Amino acid sequence: MNPEELETIASEEREAQARIPHHVHVCTGTGCLAVHSDQVKEAFDAEVKQHTLEQTCRVKGVSCMGLCADGPLVAVEPDGIMYRRVTASDAPEIMQSLGSQPVERLICPTDIPFFQRQHKIVLENSGKIDPDRIEDYIAADGYTALAMALTEMPPADVLFQVMRSGLRGRGGAGYPTGLKWSTVAKAGGKRKFVICNGDEGDPGAFMDRSVLEGDPHRVIEGMAIAAYAIGAHEGFIYVRAEHAQVIKRLKGAIRQAEKLGILGKSIGGTTFDLHIELRLGGGAFVCGEETALIAAIEGRRGAPRPRPPYPAESGLWGNPTLINNVETFANIPPIIRNGGDWFAAIGSERSKGTKVFSLTGRVQHSGLIEVPMGMTLREIIFDIGGGITDGRQFKAVQTGGPSGGCLPDEHLDLPVGYESLSDVGSFMGSGGMIVMDDSSSMVDVARYFMEFCKTESCGKCVPCRVGTVQMYNLLERFTQGIATPGDLALLEELCDLVKYTSLCGLGQSAPNPVLSTLRYFREEYEAQMVAEEVHL
Ligand SMILES: Cc1cc2nc3c(=O)[nH]c(=O)nc-3n(C[C@H](O)[C@H](O)[C@H](O)COP(=O)(O)O)c2cc1C
Ligand code: SF4
């Protein structure tokens, strides 16, 4: 596949789309599918068939439109009309309305901050393309960045642009992506690997899953550019076996890319070869940790090992390995297309670009959002999220999942970024954002995350294996109202011990939800204490 062939496919597809006056896009993201958007799409398909409207209307299943709480969502293009809570029985009415008055009672306003205040780079194709068709992706400038890299840019130029962009890993820790790529590029050895970490096990997080489901070719393109830049010819995408839709989409996308010569041998007539395979994980949170994930791909038990050596030097089967998150790879094609400086101009001083969040909990508009780094928590929760449901008061926002923390209203004006969040005891993590109102007990929240960590601990090291159980038992005493001041002191001591002596990030960050709730909501712990030991 060379740039000319790509352009031919793109223009043929664009012309075919322009010939059809009406386009009905039905969201097939997970949130909408959960409320039967598949049946809605079938109803539209049946309408087109019954009235032989194939030349006037194209019905397309598209990736997540974002406002998951109001699904199933349907958009009518080019009119720019969005409908919410559409059922299969609404399809005939919407079809009859094409080109005339829209169906008022189903309209979802798109001039609200939820849509207006987002900045979409990773999700630029969301709601627009059919993830099952590579032609749709190509018509939206897909694979032009790869073609550009292969034909116009030596690997060093690709590395330079990624470095210039200031992109930092979206898997949680925010390690500079360009630096990681350069380390693998410089590493010796003939065999190198590129791995996409799509495990995403944090409760409340569904960003990576949505990107893989909704725009699989974008991630494959990002991986292919990375492989070219670092000199790898083999890639793996690690996803959870229970995510059937992701697996189906990725398998289809890899097959389509191979058929068009975008993956495989001598890509685009160059000497660059790349083969990408899927690896299915058993659904353990710890397998998202890079060394555990590598062990799992090798067919061993998914348990972390001490670092160094880092995967960049010694990863898969002892070879230099680049491992990046789904969203990190999804940012690469636009960086190559538009240049690193373009990306670096978006976001804040130390955190460049945008961040995808799954905004959930007690907000009016929950769903998948993408905002520039540096936007404040208040803007995200009250503008984009539309504020708290049922007229209740905001109490806290949890970011970073089990490794993160709960921030109270005094931090609502905090600009979102890697350092800004960790400075106040939370964590960017991969992008889960759970909003809580004044009915939530913060001790319960801490106990919930500790239960998660104790269950997900792989058990390899004592501080985490035993410490998370002990911390959970202490938190249980608080929720039962029988904790003593001694329990509180012990809980704090254990937080420190587990944080500083655990082998991997799971144990090191497991105390964070407790530490942050103790820091900001200590009175809730104290209110659930008794002065003396109670023997049950
Ligand atoms: C317990 C644990 C779970 C993790 N889960 C994920 C995950 O699901 N996805 C991910 O990309 N990174 C996860 N990470 C971080 C990875 O170890 C690694 O840093 C990341 O994949 C690197 O990609 P990035 O540089 O693009 O962020 C996890 C880390 C820990 C400690
Ligand atoms: S910190 Fe926990 S999850 Fe990590 S290696 Fe130790 S026991 Fe396993």
Side-chain angles (χ1 to χ4, degrees):
M1 164 79 47
N2 58 42
E4 292 77 38
E5 287 167 335
L6 214 52
E7 185 45 42
T8 308
I9 295 179
S11 50
E12 280 175 7
E13 180 63 25
R14 287 182 200 128
E15 279 164 27
Q17 289 179 13
R19 276 196 295 273
I20 296 175
H22 305 292
H23 293 258
V24 173
H25 293 179
V26 182
C27 181
T28 54
T30 307
C32 282
L33 273 182
V35 281
H36 311 302
S37 68
D38 50 341
Q39 292 171 13
V40 175
K41 179 169 181 299
E42 279 167 22
F44 278 107
D45 283 335
E47 281 293 304
V48 169
K49 201 166 173 204
Q50 187 185 345
H51 303 289
T52 47
L53 296 172
E54 287 82 358
Q55 303 306 314
T56 50
C57 179
R58 184 190 267 187
V59 178
K60 185 152 87 171
V62 293
S63 47
C64 179
M65 293 184 188
L67 195 54
C68 307
D70 274 354
L73 298 167
V74 171
V76 176
E77 300 295 352
D79 312 5
I81 298 165
M82 188 180 280
Y83 295 115
R84 63 180 162 193
R85 303 201 176 152
V86 179
T87 60
S89 60
D90 296 321
E93 197 180 350
I94 293 175
M95 287 300 285
Q96 278 160 24
S97 76
L98 297 180
S100 63
Q101 282 302 309
V103 184
E104 283 297 332
R105 72 189 160 80
L106 295 172
I107 282 187
C108 174
T110 50
D111 55 355
I112 56 173
F114 182 87
F115 295 106
Q116 298 297 325
R117 301 226 41 207
Q118 292 194 47
H119 185 140
K120 294 193 174 181
I121 296 177
V122 170
L123 302 177
E124 68 184 334
N125 290 333
S126 61
K128 294 180 187 155
I129 66 163
D130 176 350
D132 283 325
R133 294 188 68 240
I134 193 168
E135 296 82 0
D136 248 28
Y137 181 67
I138 293 174
D141 287 336
Y143 288 116
T144 51
L146 176 63
M148 209 172 129
L150 294 184
T151 55
E152 296 169 26
M153 300 167 78
D157 284 6
V158 176
L159 290 175
F160 178 75
Q161 291 303 332
V162 176
M163 203 83 97
R164 287 281 302 181
S165 73
L167 175 66
R168 295 171 65 177
R170 301 302 197 231
Y175 190 80
T177 306
L179 198 57
K180 193 188 271 189
W181 288 26
S182 301
T183 311
V184 189
K186 280 187 211 135
K190 278 198 182 140
R191 205 171 172 202
K192 293 180 185 175
F193 293 95
V194 57
I195 297 178
C196 174
N197 186 343
D199 187 59
E200 194 176 48
D202 328 18
F206 53 89
M207 306 79 48
D208 293 347
R209 173 185 180 166
S210 298
V211 172
L212 286 172
E213 270 179 15
D215 208 355
H217 287 288
R218 168 181 288 263
V219 181
I220 292 172
E221 186 176 7
M223 284 180 76
I225 294 169
Y228 170 70
I230 63 162
H233 302 289
E234 293 163 84
F236 291 97
I237 308 180
Y238 185 92
V239 291
R240 292 183 162 229
E242 72 254 33
H243 290 171
Q245 181 83 333
V246 171
I247 294 164
K248 178 179 154 273
R249 292 261 158 86
L250 280 172
K251 276 188 178 164
I254 292 171
R255 222 176 12 247
Q256 290 166 4
E258 284 171 346
K259 212 167 155 196
L260 288 184
I262 290 170
L263 288 179
K265 290 198 88 59
S266 310
I267 297 172
T270 68
T271 53
F272 175 60
D273 305 336
L274 177 65
H275 299 276
I276 292 183
E277 285 181 35
L278 279 189
R279 280 292 180 272
L280 308 186
F285 177 59
V286 76
C287 284
E289 194 279 338
E290 55 190 24
T291 60
L293 187 147
I294 286 170
I297 292 183
E298 289 173 351
R300 295 184 291 119
R301 181 175 163 224
R305 62 152 173 83
R307 298 172 306 170
Y310 287 91
E313 294 149 351
S314 177
L316 205 52
W317 295 294
N319 298 290
T321 302
L322 174 73
I323 175 160
N324 274 131
N325 166 262
V326 169
E327 192 181 332
T328 312
F329 282 127
N331 270 300
I332 298 299
I335 288 175
I336 298 303
R337 272 201 310 268
N338 304 313
D341 288 339
W342 161 82
F343 188 84
I346 303 162
S348 61
E349 185 55 34
R350 298 183 68 185
S351 302
K352 303 294 186 191
T354 58
K355 181 75 197 83
V356 180
F357 288 104
S358 40
L359 181 63
T360 56
R362 308 289 287 158
V363 274
Q364 307 267 8
H365 305 311
S366 57
L368 191 68
I369 62 164
E370 182 173 1
V371 297
M373 294 277 198
M375 185 176 259
T376 65
L377 289 168
R378 188 186 300 281
E379 290 170 297
I380 295 175
I381 296 163
F382 288 90
D383 293 349
I384 294 181
I388 310 301
T389 48
D390 301 330
R392 298 197 75 107
Q393 290 294 307
F394 169 85
K395 183 165 190 181
V397 56
Q398 210 279 346
T399 67
S403 320
C406 296
L407 299 176
D409 55 1
E410 70 187 78
H411 288 306
L412 276 174
D413 292 313
L414 188 83
V416 162
Y418 293 98
E419 282 73 23
S420 56
L421 282 167
S422 50
D423 284 350
V424 294
S426 195
F427 185 56
M428 174 80 85
S430 52
M433 192 178 273
I434 307 167
V435 179
M436 285 162 271
D437 69 19
D438 53 1
S439 66
S440 307
S441 152
M442 303 317 285
V443 182
D444 275 354
V445 171
R447 188 190 55 158
Y448 167 78
F449 282 111
M450 193 55 71
E451 182 172 18
F452 178 84
C453 288
K454 101 176 152 70
T455 310
E456 295 293 332
S457 166
C458 79
K460 184 167 176 171
C461 65
V462 177
C464 169
R465 184 180 68 232
V466 182
T468 50
V469 175
Q470 294 303 329
M471 287 193 285
Y472 174 79
N473 290 343
L474 286 167
L475 288 164
E476 275 266 275
R477 288 175 62 80
F478 282 92
T479 55
Q480 290 165 1
I482 56 165
T484 62
D487 289 330
L488 184 58
L490 187 56
L491 182 62
E492 290 187 295
E493 195 185 325
L494 279 172
C495 280
D496 254 19
L497 188 113
V498 173
K499 185 173 174 159
Y500 293 111
T501 58
S502 289
L503 171 61
C504 86
L506 192 153
Q508 288 158 8
S509 60
N512 285 355
V514 181
L515 287 168
S516 67
T517 46
L518 274 170
R519 178 167 168 184
Y520 298 114
F521 303 95
R522 196 179 186 89
E523 67 287 356
E524 291 195 24
Y525 284 85
E526 286 165 353
Q528 284 167 264
M529 276 179 358
V530 288
E532 303 267 322
E533 181 94 23
V534 176
H535 297 283
L536 292 178

